[in-house]
Every structure is written in structure tokens, then in C-alpha cells.
Amino acid sequence: MHDPSTLPRTAAGPGPGPGPGRAAGPRAVWAPLLLTTAAVVYNDWVLEFLLPTGLDARHSYVSELYAADQRYHGLFGSIEVVAAVLVVTGALLARGPAPGRLETAGWWSLVAFGASSVADVVVPMRCAPSVESPCEAVNPWHTTTSALVHAALFASMALLVAAAATGRPGSPLLRRWGPWVLGSALLTALSTVGPLFGRPGWHGLTQRAHLLLVGVWFVLLAAALHSDARRPRAPRPAAPARSPV
């Protein structure tokens, strides 16, 4: 009789990655859910069509909604903080098990975006320049935090798009749509700086378009994470059989 220990054996490798009917981790489920929710919450400015804010959406910054002297300062400021917490938590959960340097830097830039967004609320505009002529459009502290928000946002976009383009296999969704969202978001952001140089007017439309594109970016990240998690992974090759003694 053969000793069972001498029979040929193979080491079974792991099966395919998460797919239909398989349990998925935070990266596949919670991170996409949080980022998708953040995309909606971050565009809280749509509430101005339901609330008597007194601001003209065409010619006012969204940050004027939570300026220190505005009626709904507390409401819009609180929603901004909730959006920031959703983004930070989603970014922390989205990091892969063995991310590359670009991907790691991209997710940490998104964390910095959320932290800067909280700072943007902590030091709000003192007043709303679009309806109060003595009010200055450039508030040093708020302008600084807003600049940090944009710097972190565009860093996350650039780094994660670059990671998707150079990674193996990378994310097809980010490779295809990421550069378009990045370019459009950058263009709309640059179109909002008129009041900072004494040329106000219509910047409210472009800023709200920019915020919609930021929401699209969050949804794109969520879709890419979900798609990557469902993509089957190649099984590891079986270990060579042992020769009978």
C-alpha cells in the first residue's frame, strides 16, 4: 500500500477576486458607498433653490452660503464638514493591499482635501461680497484654506490618474475618463477667480459646474473601485508535485 504522504500533492492557489456572490471588503463596498454619498453631499449648494438665502447663484461663491454673517451659515457649514468626513473615510478605506507610490500619494491627497475642506469651514468668509459691497472677496485665511482645498484636489486627481495609466493592470475607468474630468475641473476652477482680481460676475455658474465635476470625480473613483474589485484575479500557479519516495 502507498503511504498517503507520498502521493502527489498540489497546493491550491486562491480563487478569483471578489465577484457576484462573494464577500467583498471595505475597499469594494464601503469606500465606493462613502465616496458616492460624498458626491451628493458635497453639492449641497442645490439647497439654495429651496431656501431663501438671498444670494444669486450666478454671481456668488458657494462659500458665501456659509459666510459668518449669513442666515444658513450653520446648516451649510455642517453639511460641508459631513462631506469632508465622508471623503476622508472613503479615501482611507480605498487604499489597496499593496498600492504603488502614486496611488498611495493620490489617496492621501484626497485625505488632505477633506482636512482642508474642514479648515475652510472653520475660517469662513466674514460676509458675502456678492450682496455686500463693503465686503472683501479676498479673506486671507479663507482664501488660503480654499487654495489648499484645490491644491489637494488636483493633486489627488493627477496622481490617481497617473497611477491608473502606469499601473498593471490599472483601472480602465480612470484611464479613460480621469483626464477629461481633471481637465474640465481645472478649467472651471480657473474661471472662478475673477472676483479675486476685481472682476466679479458669472463666477457662480462656473464654480457650481466645478463642484458638480468634483462630484463626478468621486463617483468615478467609486465606480473604479467597484469595478476593480469585481475583476477576476489570475490564480497563482500550483506548486510542483512531490515525487513518491
Side-chain angles (χ1 to χ4, degrees):
M1 296 178 62
H2 290 287
D3 182 349
S5 64
T6 63
L7 294 178
R9 294 186 299 180
T10 58
R22 292 179 59 91
R27 177 179 169 87
V29 178
W30 287 108
L33 178 60
L34 290 169
L35 290 172
T36 301
T37 305
V40 177
V41 177
Y42 191 68
N43 281 278
D44 59 332
W45 58 268
V46 297
L47 293 175
E48 66 187 336
F49 297 117
L50 303 175
L51 300 173
T53 63
L55 300 176
D56 189 334
R58 299 169 298 175
H59 309 301
S60 63
Y61 282 123
V62 171
S63 53
E64 292 181 49
L65 291 168
Y66 55 90
D69 67 343
Q70 292 303 294
R71 179 179 181 182
Y72 297 102
H73 160 77
L75 173 64
F76 285 102
S78 299
I79 296 175
E80 290 287 317
V81 172
V82 170
V85 171
L86 290 169
V87 171
V88 169
T89 308
L92 291 174
L93 292 176
R95 293 177 301 160
R101 291 183 178 180
L102 289 176
E103 182 182 347
T104 298
W107 290 121
W108 279 112
S109 294
L110 204 57
V111 171
F113 164 83
S116 300
S117 296
V118 173
D120 215 34
V121 175
V122 172
V123 285
M125 302 178 79
R126 289 190 287 269
C127 45
S130 65
V131 293
E132 302 175 46
S133 53
C135 181
E136 75 284 0
V138 179
N139 180 314
W141 284 109
H142 183 77
T143 301
T144 299
T145 56
S146 296
L148 292 175
V149 167
H150 284 88
L153 171 68
F154 290 121
S156 77
M157 287 182 169
L159 289 165
L160 291 173
V161 168
T166 59
R168 299 293 182 270
S171 172
L173 283 173
L174 286 182
R175 277 201 303 266
R176 180 175 182 181
W177 299 108
W180 292 99
V181 177
L182 170 58
S184 301
L186 183 59
L187 179 62
T188 51
L190 291 174
S191 301
T192 67
V193 300
L196 303 182
F197 298 96
R199 295 182 177 276
W202 300 102
H203 54 280
L205 290 181
T206 53
Q207 189 188 35
R208 284 157 179 79
H210 170 74
L211 296 181
L212 285 173
L213 287 166
V214 175
V216 170
W217 171 244
F218 294 158
V219 172
L220 180 61
L221 290 178
L225 289 169
H226 182 69
S227 176
D228 292 350
R230 294 174 62 88
R231 188 186 310 159
R233 298 176 185 174
R236 288 185 297 184
R242 294 177 57 183
S243 302
V245 177

